[in-house]
């Protein structure tokens, strides 16, 4: 998994699930906060007609954090919503995934989150599919 | 003589205390949890997020609870909160063509790639009260079918392929931001869309309806309406690339309108566009109708004097927080202003009486 993908996966996960996974992984790395967790907003944008020039749609709450492990590796965490703790955990995972601890983070956190996400998406897709309209034409008898 | 008046602190404190008690309601019943509001009043939450212009379902649920279900008051709370947040940046525009749709319908084409997906809709219900809900009856789980693997492209692209619909401009212009600069007229379409996206549902509904009834000829079809989750990406300078930082639920509506053509344009279809946070199709359809009506100038149409075509009228009045602030403020103490008016009316009465006496004397 590439860095972009794991950051995206953790950002799209439920903050509580992420923190649950972190607890199970039992990791306690030494780190300093380069940027302590903070809550702010990001302006979400749309495109006119879904494809033209951009316009500002409205903001969303975002939490972010940057950490540095004692080995010097830097990690960044961004997540929708207001959870400083979750942002810190994303940053720590991001850093650890660049170190020898990567397999632990992958197995205990990323794969669990990926599995849950896949299941949720599949469930929604199956419900949506059940509401797909099957048109049929009524043939009028002419004889 | 100007007399400053103070007082009322005690009354205000007690009024707010009573508000707290009455908000809670009869303690015989359980207090509402934010989870219940977020999950079970999801469409109220969506409206508060869209018009509060801040996507955060938990905060919207809190605002609704605090406002006793008064959605405009809740929107006010969200708008006030959002001003306290540092702006971390602007996201890349969301890609609605890769939306994970829970609903996707077209009123213009029956057979469309990806199919007509009704999703969890009120459409085709009989609007009869369901007393099972009053009786706390559990409603069965949703049906499931095999997930569709087809892509779900934007329908209007089918018309675009045949060059039958006006193309959207792609100049990569930096859009104006109403939260940073005050509204200036004439406004760009980007600023208009931002104002409409956070505009009052009721106001836009009325205006949209007026276009259908003939105030500005604007006969629209819903080319496509879709609801679902889209990823929000932001460029991270420290990383040197963009990452997804979460997902938001949005409703998107594209209307298609017949256009007779003008001196410069051939007869073709034109577009109106609506996009809002959350599941809000009434608002989004109305937004698309009003967007289309406001585009008369750029499409070379006539100004028919309709309210929905009047950019200044629409943009100055669609914000329900500005509107409610000004409408409601007249209930607050205006003792001094009114005293002066009262004095003025008395003076005019005296003057009139004096004139009358003089006329009689003459």
């Amino acid at each position: 998994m590439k860095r972009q993908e794991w950051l995206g996966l953790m950002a799209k996960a439920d903050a509580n699930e992420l923190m649950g996974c972190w607890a199970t992984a039992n990791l306690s790395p030494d780190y300093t906060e380069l940027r302590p967790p903070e809550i702010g907003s990001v302006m979400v944008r749309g495109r006119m007609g879904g494809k033209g020039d951009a316009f500002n749609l409205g903001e969303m709450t975002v939490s972010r954090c940057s950490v540095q492990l004692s080995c010097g590796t830097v990690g960044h965490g961004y997540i929708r919503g207001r959870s400083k703790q979750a942002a810190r955990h994303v940053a720590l995972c991001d850093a650890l995934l660049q170190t020898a601890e990567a397999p632990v983070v992958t197995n205990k956190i990323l794969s669990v989150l990926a599995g849950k996400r896949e299941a949720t998406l599949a469930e929604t897709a199956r419900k949506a599919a059940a509401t797909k309209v099957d048109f049929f034409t009524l043939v009028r008898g002419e004889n | 003589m100007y007399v400053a008046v103070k007082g009322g602190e005690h009354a205000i404190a007690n009024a707010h205390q009573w508000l707290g008690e009455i908000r809670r309601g009869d303690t015989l019943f359980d207090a509402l949890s934010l989870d219940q509001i977020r999950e079970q009043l999801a469409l109220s939450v969506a409206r508060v997020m869209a018009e509060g212009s801040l996507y955060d379902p938990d905060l919207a649920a809190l605002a609704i609870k605090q406002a006793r279900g008064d959605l405009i008051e809740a929107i006010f709370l969200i708008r006030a909160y959002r001003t306290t947040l540092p702006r971390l940046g602007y996201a890349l525009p969301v890609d609605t063509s890769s939306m994970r749709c829970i609903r996707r319908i077209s009123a213009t084409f029956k057979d469309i790639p990806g199919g007509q997906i009704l999703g969890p809709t009120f459409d085709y219900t009989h609007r009869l009260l369901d007393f099972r809900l009053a009786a706390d009856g559990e409603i069965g789980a949703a049906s499931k079918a095999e997930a569709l693997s087809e892509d779900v492209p934007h329908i209007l692209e089918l018309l675009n392929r045949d060059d039958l619909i006006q193309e959207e401009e792609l100049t990569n212009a930096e859009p104006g931001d109403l939260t940073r600069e005050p509204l200036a007229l004439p406004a760009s379409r980007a600023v208009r869309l931002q104002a409409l996206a956070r505009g009052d549902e009721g106001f836009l509904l009325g205006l949209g309806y007026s276009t259908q009834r003939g105030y500005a000829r604007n006969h629209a079809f819903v080319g496509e309406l879709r609801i679902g989750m889209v990823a929000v990406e932001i460029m991270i300078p420290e990383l040197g690339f963009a990452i997804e930082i979460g997902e938001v639920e949005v409703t998107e509506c594209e209307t298609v309108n017949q256009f007779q053509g003008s001196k410069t344009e051939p007869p073709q279809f034109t577009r109106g566009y609506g996009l809002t946070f959350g599941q809000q199709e009434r608002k989004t359809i109305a937004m698309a109708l009003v967007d289309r009506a406001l585009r008369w100038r750029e499409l070379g149409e006539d100004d028919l004097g309709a309210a929905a075509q009047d950019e200044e009228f629409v943009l100055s009045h669609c914000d329900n927080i500005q509107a409610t602030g000004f409408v409601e403020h007249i209930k607050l103490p205006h003792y001094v202003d009114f005293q002066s008016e009262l004095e003025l009316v008395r003076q005019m009465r005296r003057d009139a009486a004096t004139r009358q006496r003089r006329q009689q004397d003459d």
Side-chain angles (χ1 to χ4, degrees):
Chain A
M1 200 182 277
K2 288 194 297 192
R3 193 168 185 194
Q4 209 164 4
E5 290 171 62
W6 75 53
L7 283 168
L9 174 63
M10 289 188 285
K12 288 184 287 187
D14 179 78
N16 290 321
E17 272 175 16
L18 175 74
M19 292 195 284
C21 290
W22 174 265
T24 344
N26 209 14
L27 292 158
S28 48
D30 271 339
Y31 69 96
T32 50
E33 284 173 351
L34 293 180
R35 176 160 57 203
E38 64 173 332
I39 294 169
S41 75
V42 162
M43 178 59 89
V44 181
R45 288 179 162 174
R47 285 191 183 281
M48 300 172 194
K51 57 181 289 204
D53 278 333
F55 67 95
N56 293 306
L57 174 63
E59 287 159 291
M60 70 178 207
T61 51
V62 172
S63 309
R64 72 171 174 190
C65 177
S66 297
V67 298
Q68 184 165 36
L69 302 179
S70 48
C71 63
T73 313
V74 173
H76 301 290
Y78 280 78
I79 189 163
R80 189 186 71 66
R82 291 158 301 112
S83 175
K84 292 184 176 181
Q85 194 65 9
R88 186 186 289 116
H89 289 159
V90 174
L92 284 170
C93 290
D94 179 44
L96 290 168
L97 280 160
Q98 304 168 59
T99 68
E101 299 273 30
V104 183
V105 180
T106 305
N107 294 332
K108 295 280 169 90
I109 299 173
L110 294 187
S111 11
V112 179
L113 295 178
K116 285 205 169 153
R117 179 168 169 82
E118 204 175 314
T120 314
L121 297 197
E123 171 96 348
T124 310
R126 282 200 294 273
K127 287 178 192 168
T131 68
K132 183 177 173 213
V133 181
D134 287 321
F135 289 104
F136 55 91
T137 308
L138 296 174
V139 180
R140 288 203 343 217
E142 294 296 333
N143 50 342
Chain B
M1 185 179 63
Y2 177 78
V3 184
V5 184
K6 279 176 71 79
E9 291 91 340
H10 199 57
I12 291 169
N14 286 343
H16 291 168
Q17 214 170 340
W18 193 10
L19 171 66
E21 183 191 283
I22 208 162
R23 172 193 296 125
R24 172 61 183 85
D26 193 332
T27 50
L28 198 61
F29 309 108
D30 292 340
L32 266 178
S33 74
L34 299 191
D35 293 332
Q36 287 173 327
I37 295 172
R38 192 191 58 241
E39 298 299 316
Q40 299 176 42
L41 298 179
L43 302 192
S44 297
V45 167
R47 182 171 176 192
V48 170
M49 294 195 299
E51 295 172 31
S53 206
L54 184 69
Y55 193 96
D56 189 317
D58 295 317
L59 281 181
L62 171 60
I64 290 167
K65 180 172 178 170
Q66 186 176 335
R68 305 181 66 198
D70 177 340
L71 297 188
I72 291 185
E73 181 70 21
I75 291 160
F76 201 160
L77 293 169
I78 293 297
R79 288 276 186 96
Y81 175 84
R82 67 149 286 281
T83 63
T84 67
L85 293 172
R87 173 73 64 78
L88 304 184
Y90 287 89
L92 306 180
V94 294
D95 178 12
T96 52
S97 63
S98 61
M99 184 189 294
R100 287 193 289 112
C101 297
I102 58 165
R103 173 162 166 80
R104 188 279 197 128
I105 53 168
S106 171
T108 50
F109 296 104
K110 178 167 70 72
D111 296 307
I112 48 178
Q116 307 263 0
I117 299 159
L118 298 181
T121 179
F122 293 127
D123 290 354
Y124 314 112
T125 63
H126 298 296
R127 266 74 184 207
L128 298 172
L129 282 173
D130 185 349
F131 289 97
R132 286 175 302 174
L133 293 170
D136 265 345
E138 286 294 326
I139 308 292
S143 304
K144 289 174 207 164
E146 191 167 338
L148 305 162
S149 51
E150 244 181 312
D151 280 346
V152 186
H154 276 127
I155 301 298
L156 294 195
E157 285 313 293
L158 300 175
L159 288 171
N160 198 31
R161 224 168 39 200
D162 299 334
D163 199 24
L164 285 173
I165 192 162
Q166 149 264 326
E167 179 64 296
E168 291 290 0
E169 283 197 344
L170 190 55
T171 63
N172 290 319
E174 183 65 15
D177 183 355
L178 282 174
T179 67
R180 286 293 178 269
E181 311 114 33
L183 178 67
L185 299 168
S188 63
R189 188 175 176 213
V191 165
R192 294 198 306 249
L193 286 170
Q194 183 182 13
L196 298 179
R198 55 198 256 143
D200 183 71
E201 176 180 321
F203 183 79
L204 295 181
L205 177 65
L207 276 179
Y209 181 41
S210 75
T211 68
Q212 293 181 298
R213 290 193 62 254
Y215 290 86
R217 51 185 176 200
N218 187 349
H219 186 264
F221 297 94
V222 170
E224 183 171 355
L225 179 78
R226 52 169 70 192
I227 303 175
M229 302 297 280
V230 288
V232 178
E233 282 182 279
I234 186 170
M235 186 70 196
I236 308 290
E238 301 93 304
L239 294 173
F241 52 80
I243 59 163
E244 292 176 351
I245 55 169
E247 286 181 305
V248 293
E249 187 180 43
V250 293
T251 303
E252 180 185 52
C253 175
E254 290 185 277
T255 55
V256 43
N257 303 61
Q258 202 191 95
F259 179 59
Q260 307 293 331
S262 66
K263 290 187 190 102
T264 50
E265 299 290 329
Q268 60 179 340
F269 292 104
T270 56
R271 304 161 185 258
Y273 190 65
L275 185 69
T276 57
F277 283 147
Q279 187 170 340
Q280 291 219 90
E281 56 189 72
R282 181 187 304 115
K283 157 80 178 274
T284 312
I285 296 169
M287 175 176 171
L289 293 176
V290 177
D291 169 51
R292 176 59 187 82
L294 288 171
R295 300 184 67 200
W296 63 272
R297 206 188 305 261
E298 64 210 54
L299 295 170
E301 292 176 328
D302 293 330
D303 177 6
L304 301 171
Q309 286 182 303
D310 186 336
E311 166 177 285
E312 179 174 3
F313 180 80
V314 175
L315 300 184
S316 309
H317 300 111
C318 67
D319 190 292
N320 54 24
I321 299 311
Q322 282 174 8
T324 203
F326 206 62
V327 166
E328 287 201 60
H329 99 281
I330 60 172
K331 72 191 172 184
L332 301 174
H334 282 65
Y335 306 136
V336 176
D337 303 54
F338 188 69
Q339 196 66 40
S340 72
E341 300 244 332
L342 192 61
E343 195 47 51
L344 184 66
V345 170
R346 284 190 174 131
Q347 183 63 44
M348 290 192 297
R349 278 275 182 97
R350 280 195 294 272
D351 291 351
T354 314
R355 270 199 306 275
Q356 213 169 12
R357 258 198 321 276
R358 273 192 202 134
Q359 276 164 3
Q360 278 166 357
D361 292 350
D362 290 346

